[in-house]
Amino acid sequence: MKIIMRSNQMKKGVSRLPHRALLKSLGITDSEMKKPFIAVISAASEYVPGHTHLHEISRAVKDGIRNAGGVPFEFFTIGVCDGLAMNHEGMRYSLCSRELIADSIETMLTAHPLDAAVFIPNCDKIVPGMLMAAARLNLPSVFVSGGPMLAGTVAGKRIGFVESYEAIGKYKNKLLTDSDMAEFENNSCPTCGSCAGMYTANSMNCLTEAIGLALPFNGTEPAVTAARRRLAKETGELVMELVEKNIRARDIMTCANFDNALAVDMAIGASSNTVLHILAVAREAGVELTLDDIDKIGRKTPQLCKLNPASEIFIEDLNAAGGIGAVMRELSKADLLNLNEKTVSGTQKERVKSARDADGQVIRKLDNPFRKDGAIAILKGNLAENGAVVKQGAVLPEMMCITGTAKVFDGEQAAVDAVMNDEVAAGDIVVIRYEGPKGGPGMPEMLAPTAAIAGKGLDGTVALITDGRFSGASRGAAIGHIAPEAAAGGLIAYVQSGDKISIDIPNRKLELLVDETVITERKANTILKTSNVGGYLGRYMRLTTSADIGAIFK
């Protein structure tokens, strides 16, 4: 098969002499000029724990590309660390960075046409941003993440990043000392890599593997191992096979493979943020996908894994138990996967055949799941006419069906302060609004309030609902992505403290229990809040759509 070289647009023929002159100024030789040019797109940076080692991963990828006869060219994207951006103004820039990442990659790879791409993400918005770019450009593409960090250890117990946030509430309750807090600070994050639990970064890296765009164990092999470096080198070699066979991103990003990824999403107890990102990526890939489609898969797919923050099991344990391949092997026994679909390395059927069997503990068997349905549920009702999202796999049983009293806050910080000052009590439902894509703007994550509720020991009696979203590290009865959001006139804008709210997760219901005449009167007498921001955040506010379609640009 003749290799199609897109890079010839800038390097072949007499009219491209000036272009070749510029390339030769980089040290490119005549023999290299005849080889495929491969983009290596890295999110490396020096102050993001998940990205600080990506230069090393990138070197291994480039070695693999050269081993297989290609010429690698590396460039970089931005990458927001949600942990560092959490609970201050920086968090408003997290979700909206996804669009910047996709746009910048499109710009670079259209301005400088190369033949294929290896994407090296690791943290929350970088993975979906790169997936969106891969779908948009439709080149031969492979992903290799930087991998997860190892779990921390405090007082002889393994912990994840979320426990450091929950420690704040325990400290306020005088359950921890200054010495205890220093131990959390020094030992919660012991290595580089994406945070050790099934938070958003690891969820998305696992789903990139499940959809078929990355090699097995991409989502779970720890950041610090030699196996992660070998995986990176093998990825560099693999992209050259894709160039030779002309297998492109959208050949793999099919509707059936999105269904595969969603089934894995439900089985592994992934972050609720995956719903936002899968919707956005599917749109770029030309795949029609709605919240109803996601809930349909969730209703029939059992939850086989329960990892931190929902348990004391970590990504490294999932890796040791066989990783995503073992999860998919177990799901395949119930015909829950489309096994004839392509991946970057054979078919899904071939991958499942070579994977290990579920161990029954970290990855439960089909006859003994953690839940008979999936870890994520889509709720609807008058409070969420277009939908809301809850990670039901991390909700305590007693909180699955409750009626409580609203405590309403226009913004995250006021809610955190109220929890910390003991102004929130058992039976309350904390309502945080004007934190949606437009209202935030930027749809910030709510790890601080969910961690405060858990740290105060209220996660078995207090729920939280918001038009914002949650960190993958959040746990508890936390319902987010409420659409329409408050800034768009959704009913959440008209809730008042003291109202009764009904949450019925098994029946997928979220209802404000207030007479329609009262609601009509409130709407007539309420002025919706608006944000007055400039710069990129202001542009995002003007262009973004609702959470129920992925908070994408119009």
Side-chain angles (χ1 to χ4, degrees):
M1 179 183 295
K2 183 179 179 181
I3 294 177
I4 299 172
M5 288 210 288
R6 185 169 171 263
S7 61
N8 282 342
Q9 296 177 48
M10 65 176 182
K11 69 181 185 183
K12 188 174 182 179
V14 67
S15 65
R16 296 298 183 257
L17 183 152
H19 304 66
R20 292 193 296 276
L22 287 169
L23 290 167
K24 285 191 173 182
S25 76
L26 302 174
I28 299 299
T29 66
D30 286 333
S31 63
E32 287 178 317
M33 206 74 74
K34 298 173 185 176
K35 297 177 180 179
F37 283 7
I38 311 299
V40 178
I41 307 157
S42 171
S45 71
E46 293 186 345
Y47 70 105
V48 176
H51 300 178
T52 188
H53 63 304
L54 294 189
H55 290 295
E56 188 179 350
I57 301 298
S58 179
R59 281 195 295 273
V61 168
K62 289 186 285 187
D63 287 345
I65 291 169
R66 292 190 183 97
N67 287 347
V71 183
F73 292 87
E74 183 178 14
F75 69 90
F76 301 93
T77 70
I78 61 170
V80 172
C81 172
D82 282 15
L84 294 173
M86 194 70 66
N87 198 29
H88 60 80
E89 192 65 17
M91 176 47 68
R92 303 195 185 284
Y93 286 84
S94 176
L95 179 60
C96 64
S97 72
R98 186 187 68 186
E99 269 48 43
L100 276 178
I101 290 164
D103 289 351
S104 65
I105 295 170
E106 176 197 350
T107 299
M108 284 293 287
L109 287 183
T110 305
H112 318 113
L114 303 189
D115 301 306
V118 176
F119 294 87
I120 309 176
N122 217 31
C123 291
D124 300 30
K125 286 352 133 285
I126 297 87
V127 188
M130 288 186 173
L131 284 167
M132 290 164 70
R136 197 180 293 177
L137 292 159
N138 198 29
L139 297 171
S141 301
V142 195
F143 281 67
V144 58
S145 76
M149 69 171 60
L150 299 178
T153 303
V154 171
K157 178 183 176 182
R158 291 195 308 163
I159 65 162
F161 179 64
V162 65
E163 281 83 356
S164 67
Y165 261 92
E166 293 177 359
I168 299 169
K170 293 178 180 178
Y171 181 78
K172 294 280 188 179
N173 267 4
K174 303 187 184 306
L175 299 175
L176 294 175
T177 66
D178 289 340
S179 177
D180 295 329
M181 297 298 278
E183 192 171 356
F184 275 96
E185 183 175 324
N186 291 327
N187 298 308
S188 295
C189 301
T191 73
C192 63
S194 48
C195 295
M198 189 55 79
Y199 310 162
T200 307
N202 291 326
S203 296
M204 288 306 302
N205 283 326
C206 287
L207 297 189
T208 301
E209 179 183 332
I211 206 170
L213 279 171
L215 283 167
F217 295 100
N218 173 68
T220 57
E221 184 63 49
V224 294
T225 65
R228 171 61 62 180
R229 277 84 188 143
R230 292 195 298 272
L231 184 68
K233 192 175 292 185
E234 290 163 359
T235 298
E237 294 170 346
L238 175 62
V239 75
M240 296 304 296
E241 292 182 28
L242 299 182
V243 171
E244 185 175 345
K245 296 174 182 176
N246 195 31
I247 297 175
R248 298 170 178 259
R250 289 200 192 187
D251 296 331
I252 294 166
M253 300 172 83
T254 61
C255 181
N257 260 336
F258 272 95
D259 286 352
N260 288 337
L262 285 167
V264 170
D265 195 15
M266 298 298 172
I268 63 176
S271 165
S272 58
N273 281 318
T274 58
V275 173
L276 276 175
H277 299 324
I278 289 176
L279 288 168
V281 175
R283 185 180 180 91
E284 294 287 358
V287 172
E288 291 188 13
L289 188 66
T290 67
L291 287 179
D292 290 338
D293 297 325
I294 293 172
D295 196 52
K296 183 178 179 181
I297 290 173
R299 287 176 183 268
K300 68 180 182 181
T301 307
Q303 183 179 353
L304 303 180
C305 303
K306 184 173 281 195
L307 279 68
N308 179 270
S311 78
E312 297 177 11
I313 300 171
F314 293 86
I315 297 291
E316 63 199 80
D317 304 315
L318 178 58
N319 188 70
I324 296 304
V327 174
M328 296 183 76
R329 183 180 177 92
E330 190 65 18
L331 290 175
S332 72
K333 295 174 183 177
D335 295 324
L336 291 169
L337 299 175
N338 302 289
L339 295 179
N340 292 324
E341 295 303 297
K342 287 181 182 177
T343 76
V344 291
S345 57
T347 64
Q348 296 281 18
K349 183 181 294 184
E350 290 166 336
R351 286 194 173 187
V352 163
K353 186 177 180 181
S354 63
R356 288 166 52 182
D357 276 319
D359 67 339
Q361 296 178 333
V362 175
I363 306 169
R364 287 197 177 181
K365 304 278 189 177
L366 287 168
D367 60 1
N368 183 36
F370 286 101
R371 299 185 55 85
K372 291 183 179 179
D373 57 355
I376 295 173
I378 307 301
L379 310 186
K380 290 192 175 181
N382 67 352
L383 253 180
E385 292 182 2
N386 295 343
V389 180
V390 61
K391 185 175 178 177
Q392 63 175 343
V395 178
L396 293 171
E398 60 267 32
M399 296 298 290
M400 294 292 288
C401 188
I402 62 168
T403 297
T405 304
K407 284 279 183 74
V408 181
F409 304 93
D410 290 347
E412 172 191 11
Q413 191 56 51
V416 174
D417 292 343
V419 174
M420 289 300 188
N421 293 328
D422 298 320
E423 296 168 13
V424 171
D428 286 342
I429 295 179
V430 175
V431 179
I432 303 177
R433 63 190 178 194
Y434 292 104
E435 295 286 19
K438 288 184 177 295
M443 203 179 183
E445 289 186 343
M446 303 287 154
L447 177 56
T450 58
I453 289 168
K456 282 283 192 176
L458 296 171
D459 52 315
T461 58
V462 171
L464 190 158
I465 69 173
T466 180
D467 51 9
R469 59 195 180 90
F470 297 106
S471 166
S474 292
R475 62 185 176 94
I479 299 167
H481 308 198
I482 287 177
E485 62 175 295
L491 187 58
I492 189 172
Y494 306 103
V495 180
Q496 294 184 2
S497 292
D499 289 348
K500 294 297 183 181
I501 293 173
S502 172
I503 298 171
D504 186 349
I505 296 174
N507 290 306
R508 308 297 201 261
K509 289 288 186 182
L510 180 61
E511 296 280 347
L512 176 66
L513 305 180
V514 173
D515 287 342
E516 190 62 40
T517 53
V518 175
I519 292 171
T520 300
E521 182 180 347
R522 289 180 186 177
K523 287 181 177 180
N525 293 291
T526 301
I527 299 174
L528 299 179
K529 295 179 182 292
T530 58
S531 297
N532 183 23
V533 295
Y536 177 63
L537 198 59
R539 194 181 322 146
Y540 180 85
M541 178 180 66
R542 293 189 296 272
L543 293 176
T544 190
T545 55
S546 179
D548 60 294
I549 55 175
I552 55 176
F553 279 174
K554 294 175 185 175

